[in-house]
Amino acid sequence: MPVLRTQVAIVGAGPAGLMLGHLLHLRGIDSVILENRSREYVIERVRAGVLEQGTVDLMTSSGVGDRLQREGMRHDGIYIAFDGARHHIDMAALTGGRAITVYGQNEVVKDLIAARIESGRPLHFEVEQVRPQGFDGTSPLVGFVENGERREIACDFIAGCDGFHGVCRESVPADRLNVYEREYPFGWLGILAHARPSSAELVYSNHRRGFALFSMRSPQVTRLYLQCAPDESLDAWPDERIWTELRLRLEMADGWRPNEGEIFQKGITGMRSFVVEPMRFGRLFLAGDAAHIVPPTGAKGLNLAMADVSRLAAALTRYYESGSEIGLDSYSEASLRRTWRAQRFSWWMTTMLHRPPDESAFDHKRQLAELDYLVNSRAAMTSLAENYVGTAFED
Ligand code: FAD
Ligand code: PHB
């Protein structure tokens, strides 16, 4: 069987796997990236859009931020809406100038794939039957099938960057995994529309018909989400119904509402919070959605994935440069600390803004009191702003 040899075998070419490969390349460390989907599929998968300052800084400092600097849309604040009014939260003023940037995850992935190809290092798409093995010893292997042929990679470390449904976490015996999980009784129906964004900043709206979110991708493209049932079928949502619902949930008393246009992409996602502990098993390291999922309300998932691989790349670099395992040994604990902070924030944003199907009158009154406090207290707004823009990656 043909055996490839590398230093780090990376499973998954999402943002985590691609960024890890890129950071290792810059430090002269060899890697092979294995991805089970096609290149087109990976590039076209529409997901996140909000980059924390730390993600923007990482992309810029690692040389893949040129297009992001040109096309990314810097946002200094967001709006929280309820009872028909929008309330501005000036995140930059509250955090000493930190901001978020709107730039599609698929654009991030496109930029990272271009950098990988330019580096000349291997990136295999459409591989099958990926099997991480031997990570408890010193010579791990990753088996896979490419074009019908069985192959193997011999490596020093395996990075499981293969998302929530990947194989790396599954390859760890269940009795070594501590899983913490919460499912929410709703999902998000998301659309992209050819419509000029009608607000310069995002609008998160708590409405009695359910949550809605106004976002964007470019000066010509509006991104919108609405709370729906987790098992909702897209067939039940013809375009006209989507616009009617969005109008009801997002139109404000002052007349503001999103511009409308042709819908060119639609999807429904369920929502969950999930963490697995630890994030290291011998020579296997989990990063990104392979180890944790957050509900998208806090816009944290992609950013957490980037923070993980930034830490993992630094730890691996230290190991190869000096033999020190200090960074590798602290990776799981340090990443989990950031993860749990993001979990708490995402859970808080989600429960504050969504309307659960079994909501009691008490819960609703409490939710309104929380929103009222948030938009009238500088301390509460600062707490939201700090968490939303995110702390520096080397926390
Ligand atoms: P993934 O992007 O899932 O990448 C994993 C890769 O591994 C995939 O390419 C997959 O095909 C591959 N793979 C899986 N199994 C195998 C296998 N067996 N062998 C080989 N390869 C495999 N996050 C934010 O920060 N901000 C937001 O605004 C935001 N909005 C979101 C909106 C929506 C609707 C959704 C669904 C998510 C959102 N997120 C957001 C979350 C964000 O998209 C994820 O957290 C992010 O994609 C995680 O990156 P990752 O590389 O860890 O995992
Ligand atoms: C998006 O633009 O896709 C987006 C924005 C904010 C979120 C989640 C997703 O909280």
Side-chain angles (χ1 to χ4, degrees):
M1 182 191 319
V3 178
L4 296 164
R5 161 81 215 158
T6 191
Q7 290 171 296
V8 183
I10 300 174
V11 185
L18 289 165
M19 180 54 96
L20 179 63
H22 175 61
L23 295 173
L24 294 177
H25 160 70
L26 294 179
R27 291 151 195 180
I29 301 167
D30 192 34
S31 66
V32 174
I33 305 181
L34 297 177
E35 166 62 50
N36 63 358
R37 301 287 192 156
S38 69
R39 178 175 167 167
E40 297 67 38
Y41 182 93
V42 169
I43 287 181
E44 274 155 33
R45 193 164 35 195
V46 174
R47 281 174 155 187
V50 172
L51 308 188
E52 287 178 9
Q53 182 89 52
T55 299
V56 172
D57 293 347
L58 182 66
M59 289 193 59
T60 307
S61 64
S62 68
V64 287
D66 288 358
R67 205 160 62 89
L68 166 64
Q69 294 296 338
R70 280 198 313 275
E71 297 174 19
M73 306 163 93
R74 182 187 151 101
H75 287 199
D76 285 340
I78 56 169
Y79 289 98
I80 297 287
F82 59 100
D83 274 349
R86 286 182 295 165
H87 303 266
H88 192 239
I89 299 194
D90 188 342
M91 297 184 301
L94 293 163
T95 60
R98 292 174 77 78
I100 53 117
T101 298
V102 172
Y103 188 67
Q105 175 169 328
N106 49 331
E107 306 300 335
V108 172
V109 164
K110 220 184 275 174
D111 296 342
L112 287 169
I113 289 179
R116 181 73 182 179
I117 288 168
E118 201 182 315
S119 76
R121 299 205 191 257
L123 165 55
H124 300 253
F125 287 104
E126 297 183 73
V127 301
E128 296 168 290
Q129 298 175 40
V130 175
R131 299 279 173 271
Q133 294 153 36
F135 44 83
D136 280 329
T138 50
S139 321
L141 288 175
V142 181
F144 64 105
V145 171
E146 188 167 40
N147 300 324
E149 188 186 13
R150 181 156 288 285
R151 308 183 70 180
E152 231 167 40
I153 304 176
C155 55
D156 302 331
F157 299 100
I158 302 173
C161 301
D162 49 347
F164 183 64
H165 301 286
V167 286
C168 289
R169 192 179 68 246
E170 268 183 12
S171 67
V172 178
D175 62 0
R176 291 170 67 188
L177 303 173
N178 296 301
V179 171
Y180 303 86
E181 192 166 15
R182 169 191 283 255
E183 282 201 33
Y184 298 85
F186 36 76
W188 275 15
L189 190 164
I191 61 156
L192 286 169
H194 290 298
R196 198 172 44 77
S198 61
S199 156
E201 286 170 353
L202 273 59
V203 182
Y204 287 83
S205 171
N206 175 316
H207 188 272
R208 68 187 162 75
R209 299 181 65 87
F211 170 73
L213 170 61
F214 162 87
S215 179
M216 65 200 70
R217 282 294 177 273
S218 72
Q220 295 80 34
V221 173
T222 293
R223 174 89 167 134
L224 294 156
Y225 294 99
L226 54 85
Q227 174 186 344
C228 61
D231 52 357
E232 192 90 45
S233 159
L234 265 183
D235 298 339
W237 288 89
D239 293 2
E240 200 36 53
R241 179 172 177 213
I242 295 177
W243 286 122
T244 305
E245 200 58 41
L246 285 167
R247 259 176 243 139
L248 287 167
R249 297 186 194 187
L250 282 169
E251 183 158 350
M252 300 290 136
D254 65 5
W256 179 84
R257 65 184 220 192
N259 290 328
E260 295 176 24
E262 182 209 347
I263 296 177
F264 63 94
Q265 201 272 343
K266 289 191 216 185
I268 292 182
T269 338
M271 283 212 194
R272 71 171 82 219
S273 303
F274 175 93
V275 182
V276 71
E277 296 188 2
M279 287 170 62
R280 174 191 185 174
F281 304 89
R283 288 180 168 245
L284 168 67
F285 292 83
L286 301 179
D289 279 18
H292 39 70
I293 297 280
V294 283
T297 329
K300 288 282 158 240
L302 166 64
N303 296 297
L304 270 183
M306 291 296 197
D308 285 351
V309 295
S310 160
R311 180 175 284 113
L312 185 54
L316 289 165
T317 304
R318 189 160 181 182
Y319 172 80
Y320 282 113
E321 283 177 2
S322 69
S324 164
E325 298 197 20
I326 285 178
L328 298 175
D329 289 342
S330 59
Y331 168 77
S332 176
E333 197 183 326
S335 300
L336 283 167
R337 187 161 173 242
R338 188 181 186 96
T339 298
W340 278 110
R341 279 177 64 169
Q343 286 291 359
R344 188 213 62 86
F345 176 67
S346 306
W347 163 86
W348 174 73
M349 285 282 279
T350 302
T351 48
M352 177 173 67
L353 291 163
H354 290 71
R355 307 296 288 267
D358 58 352
E359 185 182 56
S360 68
F362 177 89
D363 287 342
H364 180 46
K365 286 284 188 184
R366 187 200 46 74
Q367 205 179 43
L368 288 176
E370 179 141 29
L371 287 160
D372 181 39
Y373 171 59
L374 170 65
V375 301
N376 286 295
S377 156
R378 189 176 170 88
M381 283 191 279
T382 305
S383 170
L384 185 153
E386 267 176 14
N387 283 282
Y388 197 85
V389 299
T391 49
F393 280 4
E394 299 74 30
D395 55 343

